[in-house]
Amino acid sequence: MTLGLRLLRDGPVSDAHNLLLLAAGALRTTDPARSREAGVHASLAAWSGGDRDGYLAALDALCSPAVPLGGAPPAEDGHDPAEAFWRAYRDGMHSVLHGDFERANTLLGPVLNVLRAQQEASRLLSAGTIALMLGDLTAARQVLGLALATARSEAAPALLPRILEHLAYAELREGRYHQARVHAEAGLEAAAGQPQRNVTAGLSAVLALAASIAGAPAVVAAHAQSALGTAHAHGLSQAGTLAEWARARADLGHGNAEHAAARLAPLVHAGPRQGHFGLWMMAVPCYIEAAVLAGHDVDADVEHLIDQYAQWASRGADPQAPAVVLRCRALVAGNEHSEDLFTAALARHEKVDSPYEHARTHLAYGMWLRRRRRPVEARTQLRSAVMGFDQCGADVWTEQADAELRAAGEASTAVPSSGSGTGPSALLTPQQLRIAHSVAQGATNREVARRLSISTRTVEYHLRNIFTQLGVRSRTALARRLEHDHPPPRTGEQLP
């Protein structure tokens, strides 16, 4: 069992799962408490590795055969309360995996309360994990925050990185990116010098996701690579899925929808590269948006993915998901239905505190309105998007929404450069600057057109005007002309 626990923290998690499952079986009659401890850790190893069957097998090792799904919750066993507790835990987790969240809440609610009342760091971590599985993000943050304080007071350094990983993930799910980043960085600091590479990979993946909305692409790539290096070596499907999702979301935030769709497609479609069984569904909305912005056909496969996501959302796994479903449907609907769906999505967002996703819907709706030559209405939505992204620290998306707002006719509030007023930023429109920088970085006219969702002919038209305005005759001369001006703007803005 000792080796299995060591590998769970710092080794191949499939090996950890097998060793811990063997230990659970061997200890079942001689030491039931340690047997259950081994079983719980075996389930954690299977979850980290994305092994759904292994996860269920580890749950089944905790106690006697499970109650069939759909059956009544087990009655309290007065002769063996421990057996009743673990049976409720096992059957509740079975229900989570089968999408029966009503039954899962009935079974796991009392379990969570028992663990919370024990006021031990390890028990509070387990309670926070249960709350995360149930989609109760507020409870998860509260319990994990208490677990963190308790672990610090207990001087339990080995437990701190795991608690901070779960807390940062809960904050990420709630759209609290500032807090997620701070706690993930604290987790990496706490793990330094300890043999906990698997936890470090999870923390790096969370940092990559946080940076994907607020950092430069190089920062996202560095955190993602840190996570993926260990994820590939140790079979960490959870960390790997989050890291790949972060890279795709960074692509999308910086306007490269084609790359984002290509990264996400394997995660959300069935096959050997599909993402973690408990997480891949959360990446579906990003894939839908990326595919639409990249100009992919809305086929039966895309509709099926949205239907799957809608079914998942209806089970209560994520409080903001019902609004996101409506946004996805608005993105792929015909013009006669999109506006009603966007409006309905915004109404659903008002019921949940999710500033990032709320702002994403304002942005998508504003972009839709602008492309239908309704700039006044578009500006209302885009202003809300800018404020929402700013509220949650999503700097990348703030810039994209601000670029859309300027393209819709809003006067720029940016501070002018300290130059003479005759540089490229003074001579070109924001749209022209966006094209100029893309071309200067080596993009072909076709690549610029695809990136900005415009025609190649429109790129050629703007490029001719850019050459005239700047007095250059070649792409090389354009690159030199821009070299000492402002850094390239984000590529999220799409031209009319």
Side-chain angles (χ1 to χ4, degrees), residues 137 170-181 208-215 220 245-255 260 264 282-283 285-287 289-290 293 309 318 320-321 323-324 327 345-346 349-350 352-365 381-401:
L137 303 180
E171 289 165 338
L172 200 71
R173 290 274 305 276
E174 264 202 322
R176 300 173 186 273
Y177 291 93
H178 291 301
Q179 297 95 320
R181 184 172 62 253
L209 271 169
S212 71
I213 71 160
V220 180
W245 182 20
R247 294 169 73 185
R249 196 160 65 171
D251 286 334
L252 186 58
H254 288 89
L264 289 169
M282 289 187 290
C286 273
Y287 172 72
E289 184 170 349
L293 291 176
Y309 183 75
D318 190 330
Q320 61 197 0
V324 178
R327 182 177 77 219
L346 290 171
H349 278 302
E350 293 293 343
V352 181
D353 183 17
S354 56
Y356 173 69
E357 292 297 344
H358 198 161
R360 287 277 293 269
T361 301
H362 278 301
L363 174 60
Y365 188 19
Q381 298 300 324
L382 294 168
R383 287 188 203 104
S384 295
V386 169
M387 289 187 289
F389 289 135
D390 188 60
Q391 176 187 345
C392 60
D395 296 344
V396 171
W397 290 87
T398 300
E399 291 181 28
Q400 185 178 150

Side-chain angles (χ1 to χ4, degrees), residues 1-17 19-20 37-49 162 165 195-200 230 234 236:
M1 181 171 167
T2 302
L3 178 57
L5 291 173
R6 190 186 312 149
L7 291 174
L8 176 59
R9 295 189 298 271
D10 194 65
V13 288
S14 60
D15 294 350
H17 172 260
L19 285 168
L20 290 165
E37 181 186 355
V40 168
H41 283 99
S43 72
L44 295 177
W47 180 273
S48 295
R162 284 182 55 208
E165 178 191 4
Q196 295 208 38
R197 282 179 293 175
N198 293 351
V199 176
T200 297
T230 302
H234 292 175
L236 305 174

Side-chain angles (χ1 to χ4, degrees), residues 21-65:
L21 203 55
L22 284 172
L27 294 168
R28 183 170 297 167
T29 56
T30 59
D31 193 339
R34 291 196 70 211
S35 171
R36 285 164 174 154
E37 181 186 355
V40 168
H41 283 99
S43 72
L44 295 177
W47 180 273
S48 295
D51 180 0
R52 189 177 189 277
D53 292 339
Y55 184 78
L56 292 171
L59 290 177
D60 290 340
L62 294 175
C63 44
S64 55

Side-chain angles (χ1 to χ4, degrees), residues 92 179 207 228 238 264 278 377 398 489 494:
Q179 297 95 320
L207 279 172
L228 289 168
Q238 179 179 8
L264 289 169
E377 295 163 278
T398 300
Q494 296 180 7

Side-chain angles (χ1 to χ4, degrees), residues 58-111:
L59 290 177
D60 290 340
L62 294 175
C63 44
S64 55
V67 175
L69 285 173
E76 183 67 29
D77 189 339
H79 300 291
D80 190 353
E83 177 74 13
F85 173 90
W86 286 106
R87 189 166 59 230
Y89 174 81
R90 180 205 58 204
D91 294 348
M93 288 300 186
H94 266 276
S95 297
V96 169
L97 259 64
H98 288 87
D100 187 350
F101 282 88
E102 182 177 354
R103 184 171 186 264
N105 274 285
T106 299
L107 291 165
L108 291 174
V111 171

Side-chain angles (χ1 to χ4, degrees), residues 334-421:
N335 287 343
E336 67 274 15
H337 301 300
S338 291
E339 186 154 19
D340 289 341
L341 289 164
F342 276 127
T343 303
L346 290 171
R348 291 298 295 263
H349 278 302
E350 293 293 343
K351 300 177 181 179
V352 181
D353 183 17
S354 56
Y356 173 69
E357 292 297 344
H358 198 161
R360 287 277 293 269
T361 301
H362 278 301
L363 174 60
Y365 188 19
M367 291 169 67
W368 184 88
L369 288 165
R370 186 172 81 80
R371 280 147 187 76
R372 279 146 190 84
R373 312 297 181 188
R374 296 163 62 181
V376 174
E377 295 163 278
R379 289 196 291 269
T380 299
Q381 298 300 324
L382 294 168
R383 287 188 203 104
S384 295
V386 169
M387 289 187 289
F389 289 135
D390 188 60
Q391 176 187 345
C392 60
D395 296 344
V396 171
W397 290 87
T398 300
E399 291 181 28
Q400 185 178 150
D402 190 59
E404 282 285 336
L405 187 54
R406 293 196 305 273
E410 186 93 336
S412 175
T413 58
V415 178
S417 74
S418 57
S420 63

